[in-house]
């Protein structure tokens, strides 16, 4: 008989292989093998690193800037790996970060003439008014940014689902330390950040990474103005009252957008009758040296209203208004208010453009007529439009008040771009034969601005024949189109990146009605922080001690402020402002 074997008992206890190779080589039904995922992950990482290196080498400037950008990005990636242990997740987040930095920088540069700065991450979310302005004015870009965040979140979720890499945290930490160390070396090797880099240079990634040090320093200190380390004990007295010896004139201060006398550009063919538009009553051209080119008008505005140079705020100067809101106590509007003036701003933008509404409130401007309040239908109305608003405001004020009026009027018609004919129905001369079409359009807008200014003077004489006025105009910066008028591209670029060069010259002019103003300074060029002092002296108002000191510095430094040969005097003045309570230190 056949002997039947006893049935075998099958051991169904799960078993786990001990080797990594066997684990990664056994596919699971319906799932991509882990070894394939890992190879794809490292392949994507290698390809992304290569593409980043190609981008940086093409757009981030010198070799040191390129290395700095790549090493900081690698450090960020290593830190993410340290936290998540997943290479693909780090790859997605670093790629998304750099993509957002570049995209936002491009759009911000096109709309505001500034690239992305680290302080933006604190500045915009902290101000509801600024967020409202962005939503109202740049809704498409805000929505696009939100979509980018959502897509990034989905990509990270997907990466987490499929990424089976598990990097040891000790290895990731070591890599982060190595990358960060070499990034620091690269930061020291690259040249100092050019003053205009956050405005015009296309070094989007390295600019953003470079801006973190000064942002953190500012957040720590609360203020970033350069000043002498210690004071000499001499304080500036804050005036309690202001008693003009004669009836003060009404002051109309005109911020002439993107305006520069064409006579400053040699070889430019234009209607020479335009030259007199830039002259004062004394028949002279008075040159003003500003601190920005092609945009960022609020920098010039800040210096005019505060008597301070934005250069002394270092790389934080793009945010100088919100940073200094509530910290200045001897501004031009505040001193005029002490002398009995009512201060009104006629503004072509929304009042919270770049979050400056709080700044205006803090320096003594009591009323802001912004684009919405004026019923503007375009962002660049004719100057005549804003002059009408100013004239109507004067009529209302004079009907109910005997106090003098300080009207700060900002214009917009001469703002770029210049690739279309502005108000084609108005016939005014542009450039001569052979002039670059966009340069010719800019000259044409200057001529149109001159027509509108003649309208303002005629209306002041007609509507307020018995009132006394001082009218002061100034150019806030040269237009970006001036690159084509400064010389060849290489020379123009050099001037734009050199403080105090011809690229930063504009003008200021003064005319009066029923008032004998004090003479303007006889200096060839005056830096913009001194303009407020010049206005007060022209109006024959008593100068507070801090403004008498500014007048002394203007003479001592021959019109220079930031570039004063005796820079220690400027730094000592800043320290005296702080020690006297006229400027808060933090």
């Amino acid at each position: 008989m056949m002997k039947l074997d006893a049935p075998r008992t099958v051991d169904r206890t799960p078993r786990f292989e001990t080797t990594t190779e066997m684990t990664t080589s056994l596919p699971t039904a319906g799932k991509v093998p882990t070894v394939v995922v890992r190879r794809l992950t490292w392949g994507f990482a290698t390809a992304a690193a290569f593409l980043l290196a190609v981008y940086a080498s093409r757009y981030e400037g010198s070799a040191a800037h390129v290395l700095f950008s790549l090493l900081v990005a690698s450090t960020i990636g290593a830190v993410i790996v340290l936290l998540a242990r997943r290479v693909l997740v780090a790859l997605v987040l670093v790629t998304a970060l750099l993509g957002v930095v570049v995209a936002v920088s491009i759009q911000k540069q096109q709309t505001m003439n500034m690239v992305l700065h680290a302080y933006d991450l604190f500045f915009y979310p902290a101000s509801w008014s600024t967020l409202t302005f962005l939503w109202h004015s740049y809704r498409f870009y805000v929505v696009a940014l939100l979509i980018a965040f959502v897509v990034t979140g989905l990509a990270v979720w997907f990466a987490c689902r499929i990424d089976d890499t598990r990097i040891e945290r000790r290895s990731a930490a070591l890599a982060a330390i190595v990358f960060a160390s070499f990034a620091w070396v690269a930061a020291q090797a690259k040249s100092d950040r050019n003053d205009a880099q956050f405005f015009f240079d296309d070094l989007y990634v390295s600019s953003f990474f470079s801006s973190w040090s000064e942002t953190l320093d500012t957040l720590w200190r609360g203020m970033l103005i350069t000043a002498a380390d210690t004071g000499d004990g001499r304080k500036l007295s804050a005036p309690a009252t202001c008693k003009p010896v004669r009836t003060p004139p009404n002051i109309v201060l005109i911020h002439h957008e993107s305006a520069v006398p064409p006579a400053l550009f040699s070889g430019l063919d234009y209607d020479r009758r335009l030259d007199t538009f830039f002259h004062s009553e004394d028949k002279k051209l008075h040159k003003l040296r500003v601190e920005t080119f092609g945009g960022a008008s609020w920098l010039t505005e800040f210096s005019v209203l505060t008597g301070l140079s934005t250069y002394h705020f270092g790389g934080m100067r793009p945010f100088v208004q919100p940073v200094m809101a509530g910290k200045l106590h001897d501004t031009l509007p505040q001193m005029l208010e002490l002398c009995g003036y009512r201060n009104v701003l006629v503004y072509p933008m929304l009042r919270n453009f770049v979050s400056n509404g709080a700044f205006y409130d803090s320096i003594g401007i009591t009323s802001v007529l912004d684009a919405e309040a004026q019923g503007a239908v375009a962002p660049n109305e004719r100057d005549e439009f804003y002059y009408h608003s100013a004239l109507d405001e004067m009529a209302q004020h004079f009907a109910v008040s005997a106090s003098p009026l300080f009207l700060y009027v900002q214009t917009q018609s001469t703002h770029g771009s210049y690739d279309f004919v502005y108000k084609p129905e108005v016939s005014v001369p542009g450039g001569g034969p052979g002039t670059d079409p966009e340069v010719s359009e800019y000259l044409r807008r200057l001529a149109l601005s001159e027509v509108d200014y003649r309208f303002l003077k005629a209306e002041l004489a007609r509507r307020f024949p018995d009132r006394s006025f001082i009218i002061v105009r100034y150019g806030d910066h040269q237009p970006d189109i001036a690159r084509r008028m400064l010389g060849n591209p290489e020379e123009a670029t050099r001037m734009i990146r050199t403080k105090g060069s011809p690229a930063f010259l504009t003008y200021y002019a003064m005319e009066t009605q029923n008032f004998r103003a004090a003479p303007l300074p006889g200096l060839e060029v005056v830096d913009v922080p001194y303009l407020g002092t010049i206005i007060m002296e022209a109006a024959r108002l008593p100068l507070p001690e801090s403004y008498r000191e500014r007048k002394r510095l203007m003479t001592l430094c021959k019109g220079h402020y930031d570039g004063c040969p005796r820079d220690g005097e400027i730094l000592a003045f800043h320290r005296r402002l702080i020690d006297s309570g006229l400027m808060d230190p933090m």
Side-chain angles (χ1 to χ4, degrees):
M1 295 180 62
M2 295 182 60
K3 185 178 180 180
L4 299 177
D5 294 332
R8 291 184 299 172
T9 302
V10 179
D11 185 1
R12 300 183 182 274
T13 303
R15 297 186 180 185
F16 298 93
E17 301 293 343
T18 58
T19 66
T20 303
E21 179 62 29
M22 295 186 68
T23 302
T24 58
S25 61
L26 294 176
T28 303
K31 184 177 180 181
V32 179
T34 302
V35 67
V36 175
V37 173
R38 290 186 179 179
R39 288 172 180 171
L40 287 174
T41 297
W42 288 110
F44 286 145
T46 302
F50 175 76
L51 292 175
L52 175 60
V54 171
Y55 169 83
S57 63
R58 291 189 61 182
Y59 299 107
E60 290 300 321
S62 68
H65 281 86
V66 171
L67 286 174
F68 173 73
S69 303
L70 294 176
L71 288 167
V72 173
S74 299
T75 303
I76 295 172
V79 171
I80 296 173
V81 172
L82 173 65
L83 298 174
R85 300 186 63 196
R86 291 173 167 86
V87 173
L88 192 58
V89 170
L91 170 65
V92 169
L93 285 173
V94 171
T95 303
L97 167 66
L98 299 181
V100 168
V101 167
V102 173
V104 173
S105 290
I106 291 173
Q107 296 303 326
K108 187 181 178 187
Q109 190 178 46
Q110 291 178 353
T111 56
M112 298 183 181
N113 280 326
M114 291 193 303
V115 298
L116 185 65
H117 191 288
Y119 191 69
D120 287 327
L121 304 182
F122 304 90
F123 168 62
Y124 285 99
S127 172
W128 178 252
S129 61
T130 302
L131 290 174
T132 303
F133 164 76
L134 289 176
W135 179 254
H136 183 276
S137 302
Y138 302 106
R139 187 170 305 176
F140 173 81
Y141 300 119
V142 173
V143 171
L145 183 61
L146 294 176
I147 292 175
F149 288 153
V150 172
V151 171
T152 299
L154 293 174
V156 170
W157 174 83
F158 182 71
C160 287
R161 297 280 295 177
I162 68 171
D163 189 357
D164 287 332
T165 59
R166 295 296 184 272
I167 305 299
E168 290 186 357
R169 286 196 167 91
R170 182 172 55 183
S171 300
L174 179 61
I177 293 172
V178 171
F179 287 140
S181 299
F182 281 107
W184 182 86
V185 173
Q188 307 309 308
K190 69 183 178 68
S191 59
D192 292 338
R193 177 186 56 76
N194 185 275
D195 187 75
Q197 181 174 322
F198 288 128
F199 294 89
F200 298 106
D201 288 1
D202 297 336
L203 313 181
Y204 300 134
V205 176
S206 58
S207 291
F208 177 71
F209 288 156
S210 297
S211 66
W212 273 101
S213 60
E214 59 201 19
T215 296
L216 295 175
D217 184 58
T218 298
L219 293 173
W220 177 259
R221 294 175 55 188
M223 190 175 72
L224 196 63
I225 190 170
T226 56
D229 293 334
T230 57
D232 57 7
R234 295 181 302 143
K235 293 187 177 181
L236 300 163
S237 60
T241 60
C242 171
K243 298 180 179 179
V245 298
R246 57 179 61 80
T247 302
N250 299 286
I251 301 173
V252 180
L253 177 61
I254 299 175
H255 174 107
H256 195 182
E257 174 64 41
S258 302
V260 56
L264 296 182
F265 304 102
S266 61
L268 189 61
D269 188 4
Y270 65 98
D271 188 341
R272 296 291 171 173
R273 290 176 295 180
L274 189 59
D275 288 343
T276 58
F277 175 44
F278 296 94
H279 293 172
S280 293
E281 279 184 341
D282 58 12
K283 312 300 181 185
K284 297 179 182 178
L285 172 63
H286 294 270
K287 298 176 185 177
L288 185 71
R289 186 184 293 111
V290 297
E291 300 177 348
T292 182
F293 175 89
S297 302
W298 60 89
L299 299 182
T300 303
E301 173 189 310
F302 175 86
S303 292
V304 170
L305 295 175
T306 67
L308 298 171
S309 167
T310 63
Y311 284 139
H312 285 269
F313 291 84
M316 290 304 302
R317 71 189 192 102
F319 308 96
V320 68
Q321 288 191 353
V323 165
M324 297 305 295
K327 297 180 180 179
L328 300 170
H329 311 292
D330 76 330
T331 66
L332 176 63
Q334 288 167 335
M335 297 301 98
L336 292 177
E337 186 175 38
L338 201 61
C339 294
Y341 282 79
R342 176 172 171 258
N343 304 320
V344 179
L345 169 62
V346 178
Y347 195 51
M349 309 293 288
L350 295 177
R351 65 172 281 125
N352 288 317
F353 174 64
V354 294
S355 194
N356 45 11
F359 173 74
Y360 296 143
D361 293 340
S362 73
I363 63 170
I365 293 179
T366 54
S367 180
V368 178
L369 301 178
D370 66 357
E372 185 176 10
Q374 296 176 76
V377 297
N380 59 336
E381 299 280 3
R382 275 185 67 168
D383 295 357
E384 183 181 8
F385 174 87
Y386 304 111
Y387 294 155
H388 269 295
S389 298
L391 290 164
D392 291 343
E393 181 66 23
M394 291 179 204
Q396 295 176 23
H397 173 80
F398 295 150
V400 298
S401 176
S403 63
L405 189 63
F406 170 59
L407 261 174
Y408 185 24
V409 184
Q410 297 197 9
T411 64
Q412 196 76 349
S413 66
T414 42
H415 195 287
S417 59
Y418 308 102
D419 56 358
F420 68 96
V421 179
Y422 180 80
K423 304 297 181 184
E425 68 276 9
V426 183
S427 177
V428 288
T435 304
D436 180 279
E438 293 189 36
V439 173
S440 182
E441 171 61 20
Y442 171 70
L443 293 169
R444 183 181 166 277
R445 295 189 195 183
L446 287 179
L448 182 60
S449 187
E450 191 267 344
V451 170
D452 289 354
Y453 179 63
R454 280 194 275 115
F455 159 80
L456 172 65
K457 290 199 299 180
E459 285 297 293
L460 286 176
R462 183 184 69 84
R463 297 176 62 172
F464 314 109
D466 300 325
R467 300 279 178 176
S468 61
F469 289 94
I470 283 182
I471 310 170
V472 177
R473 294 175 286 130
Y474 69 87
D476 63 330
H477 56 73
Q478 294 188 15
D480 191 55
I481 195 68
R483 292 172 183 265
R484 305 182 191 182
M485 300 183 280
L486 288 169
N488 62 60
E490 183 177 345
E491 178 68 10
T493 299
R494 184 192 65 79
M495 283 193 281
I496 291 169
R497 295 180 178 180
T498 304
K499 292 193 296 185
S501 78
F504 296 92
L505 291 179
T506 64
Y507 83 104
Y508 72 99
M510 183 186 70
E511 295 180 272
T512 63
Q513 174 179 307
N514 298 331
F515 187 79
R516 184 180 177 86
L520 295 177
L523 298 164
E524 181 181 359
V525 184
V526 170
D527 279 8
V528 64
Y530 296 121
L531 187 56
T533 303
I534 293 172
I535 291 171
M536 289 195 67
E537 188 166 45
R540 299 188 183 275
L541 298 171
L543 293 181
E545 188 176 2
S546 61
Y547 281 78
R548 294 198 300 271
E549 181 64 8
R550 287 182 173 95
K551 181 180 177 181
R552 184 187 73 84
L553 291 171
M554 179 173 63
T555 302
L556 176 71
C557 299
K558 296 181 171 56
H560 289 274
Y561 194 101
D562 174 69
C564 178
R566 299 177 64 174
D567 187 54
E569 293 274 356
I570 299 293
L571 299 181
F573 173 60
H574 292 170
R575 173 53 56 187
R576 292 182 69 191
L577 288 174
I578 294 171
D579 293 345
S580 304
L582 297 177
M583 179 165 57
D584 295 343
M586 300 295 288

